[in-house]
Short mmCIF file of all heavy atoms in Angstrom, two decimals:
data_model
loop_
_atom_site.label_atom_id
_atom_site.label_comp_id
_atom_site.label_asym_id
_atom_site.label_seq_id
_atom_site.Cartn_x
_atom_site.Cartn_y
_atom_site.Cartn_z
N GLU A 1 -46.50 9.65 49.99
CA GLU A 1 -45.74 10.89 50.16
C GLU A 1 -44.88 11.18 48.94
O GLU A 1 -44.75 12.34 48.51
CB GLU A 1 -44.86 10.77 51.40
CG GLU A 1 -45.64 10.77 52.72
CD GLU A 1 -44.74 10.49 53.91
OE1 GLU A 1 -43.79 9.69 53.77
OE2 GLU A 1 -44.98 11.07 54.98
N LYS A 2 -44.30 10.15 48.36
CA LYS A 2 -43.46 10.33 47.17
C LYS A 2 -44.29 10.83 45.99
O LYS A 2 -43.83 11.66 45.20
CB LYS A 2 -42.77 9.02 46.80
CG LYS A 2 -41.66 8.62 47.78
CD LYS A 2 -41.01 7.30 47.39
CE LYS A 2 -39.90 6.93 48.35
NZ LYS A 2 -39.26 5.64 47.99
N THR A 3 -45.53 10.35 45.89
CA THR A 3 -46.42 10.81 44.82
C THR A 3 -46.69 12.31 44.98
O THR A 3 -46.70 13.05 43.99
CB THR A 3 -47.75 10.04 44.85
OG1 THR A 3 -47.50 8.67 44.60
CG2 THR A 3 -48.72 10.58 43.80
N LYS A 4 -46.87 12.76 46.22
CA LYS A 4 -47.11 14.18 46.47
C LYS A 4 -45.88 15.02 46.08
O LYS A 4 -46.03 16.12 45.52
CB LYS A 4 -47.45 14.40 47.94
CG LYS A 4 -48.82 13.86 48.34
CD LYS A 4 -49.10 14.11 49.82
CE LYS A 4 -50.47 13.56 50.21
NZ LYS A 4 -50.74 13.75 51.67
N ILE A 5 -44.69 14.50 46.35
CA ILE A 5 -43.47 15.23 45.98
C ILE A 5 -43.36 15.34 44.47
O ILE A 5 -43.01 16.40 43.93
CB ILE A 5 -42.22 14.53 46.56
CG1 ILE A 5 -42.24 14.56 48.09
CG2 ILE A 5 -40.94 15.17 46.02
CD1 ILE A 5 -42.24 15.95 48.68
N ARG A 6 -43.67 14.26 43.76
CA ARG A 6 -43.60 14.30 42.29
C ARG A 6 -44.59 15.31 41.73
O ARG A 6 -44.30 16.01 40.75
CB ARG A 6 -43.85 12.90 41.71
CG ARG A 6 -42.71 11.91 41.95
CD ARG A 6 -42.83 10.68 41.08
NE ARG A 6 -44.02 9.90 41.40
CZ ARG A 6 -44.07 8.94 42.31
NH1 ARG A 6 -42.98 8.66 43.02
NH2 ARG A 6 -45.18 8.25 42.53
N LYS A 7 -45.76 15.41 42.35
CA LYS A 7 -46.75 16.38 41.91
C LYS A 7 -46.25 17.81 42.14
O LYS A 7 -46.44 18.69 41.30
CB LYS A 7 -48.08 16.16 42.65
CG LYS A 7 -48.84 14.93 42.19
CD LYS A 7 -50.16 14.78 42.94
CE LYS A 7 -50.93 13.57 42.44
NZ LYS A 7 -52.22 13.38 43.19
N ARG A 8 -45.59 18.03 43.30
CA ARG A 8 -45.06 19.37 43.57
C ARG A 8 -43.94 19.72 42.58
O ARG A 8 -43.83 20.87 42.14
CB ARG A 8 -44.53 19.46 45.00
CG ARG A 8 -45.57 19.34 46.10
CD ARG A 8 -46.81 20.16 45.84
NE ARG A 8 -46.52 21.57 45.57
CZ ARG A 8 -47.40 22.42 45.08
NH1 ARG A 8 -48.61 22.01 44.76
NH2 ARG A 8 -47.07 23.68 44.89
N LEU A 9 -43.14 18.76 42.22
CA LEU A 9 -42.08 18.99 41.22
C LEU A 9 -42.70 19.37 39.88
O LEU A 9 -42.20 20.27 39.19
CB LEU A 9 -41.20 17.74 41.08
CG LEU A 9 -40.21 17.50 42.23
CD1 LEU A 9 -39.68 16.07 42.16
CD2 LEU A 9 -39.06 18.50 42.19
N SER A 10 -43.78 18.71 39.52
CA SER A 10 -44.46 19.03 38.26
C SER A 10 -45.02 20.46 38.30
O SER A 10 -44.96 21.18 37.30
CB SER A 10 -45.60 18.04 37.99
OG SER A 10 -45.10 16.75 37.76
N VAL A 11 -45.55 20.85 39.45
CA VAL A 11 -46.07 22.22 39.60
C VAL A 11 -44.94 23.23 39.47
O VAL A 11 -45.08 24.27 38.80
CB VAL A 11 -46.78 22.38 40.96
CG1 VAL A 11 -47.09 23.85 41.23
CG2 VAL A 11 -48.07 21.57 40.99
N LEU A 12 -43.80 22.95 40.08
CA LEU A 12 -42.66 23.85 40.00
C LEU A 12 -42.12 23.96 38.57
O LEU A 12 -41.69 25.04 38.15
CB LEU A 12 -41.55 23.38 40.95
CG LEU A 12 -41.85 23.54 42.44
CD1 LEU A 12 -40.80 22.83 43.28
CD2 LEU A 12 -41.93 25.01 42.83
N VAL A 13 -42.19 22.87 37.83
CA VAL A 13 -41.77 22.91 36.42
C VAL A 13 -42.77 23.73 35.61
O VAL A 13 -42.40 24.58 34.80
CB VAL A 13 -41.66 21.48 35.84
CG1 VAL A 13 -41.49 21.52 34.32
CG2 VAL A 13 -40.46 20.76 36.46
N SER A 14 -44.06 23.50 35.83
CA SER A 14 -45.11 24.23 35.09
C SER A 14 -45.05 25.72 35.35
O SER A 14 -45.33 26.53 34.46
CB SER A 14 -46.49 23.69 35.46
OG SER A 14 -46.63 22.35 35.10
N SER A 15 -44.67 26.09 36.58
CA SER A 15 -44.61 27.51 36.93
C SER A 15 -43.31 28.16 36.48
O SER A 15 -43.15 29.37 36.61
CB SER A 15 -44.77 27.67 38.45
OG SER A 15 -43.66 27.11 39.13
N GLY A 16 -42.37 27.34 35.97
CA GLY A 16 -41.12 27.90 35.47
C GLY A 16 -40.03 28.03 36.51
O GLY A 16 -38.93 28.51 36.21
N LYS A 17 -40.30 27.59 37.75
CA LYS A 17 -39.28 27.71 38.80
C LYS A 17 -38.20 26.64 38.65
O LYS A 17 -37.04 26.84 39.03
CB LYS A 17 -39.93 27.64 40.17
CG LYS A 17 -40.82 28.83 40.50
CD LYS A 17 -41.38 28.72 41.90
CE LYS A 17 -42.17 29.99 42.29
NZ LYS A 17 -43.38 30.15 41.47
N LEU A 18 -38.59 25.47 38.13
CA LEU A 18 -37.64 24.40 37.85
C LEU A 18 -37.74 23.99 36.39
O LEU A 18 -38.77 24.23 35.74
CB LEU A 18 -37.93 23.17 38.72
CG LEU A 18 -37.66 23.24 40.22
CD1 LEU A 18 -38.04 21.91 40.87
CD2 LEU A 18 -36.22 23.60 40.53
N VAL A 19 -36.70 23.38 35.88
CA VAL A 19 -36.74 22.78 34.54
C VAL A 19 -36.31 21.32 34.68
O VAL A 19 -35.52 20.97 35.56
CB VAL A 19 -35.80 23.50 33.54
CG1 VAL A 19 -36.31 24.89 33.24
CG2 VAL A 19 -34.37 23.55 34.06
N ARG A 20 -36.84 20.47 33.80
CA ARG A 20 -36.41 19.08 33.76
C ARG A 20 -35.11 18.97 32.97
O ARG A 20 -35.03 19.43 31.84
CB ARG A 20 -37.49 18.20 33.11
CG ARG A 20 -38.69 17.94 34.01
CD ARG A 20 -39.61 16.89 33.40
NE ARG A 20 -40.70 16.56 34.30
CZ ARG A 20 -41.87 17.18 34.31
NH1 ARG A 20 -42.08 18.18 33.47
NH2 ARG A 20 -42.82 16.83 35.15
N LYS A 21 -34.13 18.35 33.57
CA LYS A 21 -32.84 18.16 32.90
C LYS A 21 -32.70 16.74 32.36
O LYS A 21 -31.78 16.44 31.61
CB LYS A 21 -31.70 18.45 33.87
CG LYS A 21 -31.73 19.83 34.49
CD LYS A 21 -31.59 20.92 33.44
CE LYS A 21 -30.17 21.01 32.91
NZ LYS A 21 -29.98 22.16 32.02
N GLY A 22 -33.60 15.90 32.73
CA GLY A 22 -33.60 14.50 32.29
C GLY A 22 -34.63 13.74 33.10
O GLY A 22 -35.38 14.33 33.88
N SER A 23 -34.67 12.43 32.93
CA SER A 23 -35.65 11.63 33.65
C SER A 23 -35.38 11.68 35.15
O SER A 23 -34.35 11.22 35.62
CB SER A 23 -35.60 10.19 33.15
OG SER A 23 -36.52 9.38 33.85
N GLY A 24 -36.30 12.26 35.90
CA GLY A 24 -36.15 12.33 37.34
C GLY A 24 -35.09 13.29 37.84
O GLY A 24 -34.65 13.21 38.99
N THR A 25 -34.69 14.23 37.00
CA THR A 25 -33.65 15.19 37.38
C THR A 25 -34.13 16.61 37.08
O THR A 25 -34.66 16.87 36.00
CB THR A 25 -32.34 14.92 36.62
OG1 THR A 25 -31.96 13.56 36.83
CG2 THR A 25 -31.21 15.82 37.13
N TYR A 26 -33.92 17.53 38.02
CA TYR A 26 -34.43 18.89 37.89
C TYR A 26 -33.35 19.90 38.24
O TYR A 26 -32.35 19.58 38.89
CB TYR A 26 -35.63 19.09 38.84
CG TYR A 26 -36.74 18.10 38.61
CD1 TYR A 26 -36.68 16.82 39.19
CD2 TYR A 26 -37.83 18.40 37.83
CE1 TYR A 26 -37.69 15.89 38.98
CE2 TYR A 26 -38.85 17.48 37.61
CZ TYR A 26 -38.78 16.23 38.18
OH TYR A 26 -39.77 15.31 37.96
N ALA A 27 -33.55 21.13 37.79
CA ALA A 27 -32.62 22.22 38.10
C ALA A 27 -33.40 23.53 38.15
O ALA A 27 -34.50 23.64 37.60
CB ALA A 27 -31.51 22.30 37.06
N LEU A 28 -32.82 24.52 38.81
CA LEU A 28 -33.42 25.85 38.81
C LEU A 28 -33.47 26.41 37.40
O LEU A 28 -32.54 26.22 36.61
CB LEU A 28 -32.63 26.80 39.71
CG LEU A 28 -32.81 26.70 41.21
CD1 LEU A 28 -31.93 27.72 41.90
CD2 LEU A 28 -34.27 26.91 41.62
N SER A 29 -34.53 27.10 37.10
CA SER A 29 -34.65 27.73 35.79
C SER A 29 -34.09 29.15 35.83
O SER A 29 -34.36 29.90 36.77
CB SER A 29 -36.12 27.78 35.36
OG SER A 29 -36.27 28.54 34.18
N ASP A 30 -33.31 29.49 34.80
CA ASP A 30 -32.79 30.86 34.73
C ASP A 30 -33.51 31.67 33.65
O ASP A 30 -33.10 32.75 33.29
CB ASP A 30 -31.28 30.86 34.46
CG ASP A 30 -30.94 30.14 33.16
OD1 ASP A 30 -31.85 29.51 32.56
OD2 ASP A 30 -29.77 30.18 32.76
N LYS A 31 -34.62 31.08 33.13
CA LYS A 31 -35.39 31.77 32.09
C LYS A 31 -36.87 31.77 32.48
O LYS A 31 -37.35 30.85 33.13
CB LYS A 31 -35.22 31.08 30.74
CG LYS A 31 -33.80 31.03 30.23
CD LYS A 31 -33.71 30.20 28.97
CE LYS A 31 -32.26 30.03 28.52
NZ LYS A 31 -32.15 29.15 27.35
N PRO A 32 -37.61 32.79 32.07
CA PRO A 32 -39.03 32.85 32.41
C PRO A 32 -39.87 31.91 31.55
O PRO A 32 -39.47 31.52 30.45
CB PRO A 32 -39.40 34.31 32.10
CG PRO A 32 -38.47 34.69 30.99
CD PRO A 32 -37.17 33.97 31.31
N VAL A 33 -41.02 31.53 32.07
CA VAL A 33 -42.02 30.81 31.27
C VAL A 33 -42.75 31.82 30.40
O VAL A 33 -42.96 32.97 30.80
CB VAL A 33 -43.01 30.08 32.20
CG1 VAL A 33 -44.18 29.49 31.40
CG2 VAL A 33 -42.30 28.97 32.96
N PHE A 34 -43.13 31.42 29.21
CA PHE A 34 -43.85 32.27 28.27
C PHE A 34 -45.27 32.51 28.78
O PHE A 34 -46.11 31.62 28.76
CB PHE A 34 -43.88 31.57 26.90
CG PHE A 34 -44.63 32.31 25.82
CD1 PHE A 34 -44.06 33.39 25.18
CD2 PHE A 34 -45.89 31.89 25.42
CE1 PHE A 34 -44.73 34.05 24.17
CE2 PHE A 34 -46.57 32.54 24.40
CZ PHE A 34 -45.98 33.63 23.78
N ARG A 35 -45.52 33.71 29.29
CA ARG A 35 -46.85 34.08 29.78
C ARG A 35 -47.17 35.50 29.32
O ARG A 35 -47.02 36.47 30.07
CB ARG A 35 -46.92 33.97 31.31
CG ARG A 35 -46.94 32.53 31.80
CD ARG A 35 -47.12 32.45 33.30
NE ARG A 35 -48.41 32.98 33.73
CZ ARG A 35 -49.55 32.32 33.69
NH1 ARG A 35 -49.59 31.09 33.22
NH2 ARG A 35 -50.68 32.87 34.12
#
């Protein structure tokens, strides 16, 4: 289950909804992804 959560976090980062703030730490993104 934890592996699935990490995959969803990666998807949210790739889509620009979250940004990585450090190892294992995330935050909402206030900027768009370049598309």
Side-chain angles (χ1 to χ4, degrees):
E1 290 173 325
K2 289 179 179 180
T3 297
K4 290 180 180 178
I5 295 300
R6 290 194 295 271
K7 287 181 178 178
R8 294 315 307 167
L9 285 165
S10 294
V11 169
L12 290 170
V13 169
S14 298
S15 66
K17 292 183 175 66
L18 290 180
V19 292
R20 285 189 176 90
K21 303 297 287 187
S23 179
T25 306
Y26 304 83
L28 283 179
S29 172
D30 59 352
K31 300 174 186 176
V33 172
F34 178 77
R35 288 184 63 81

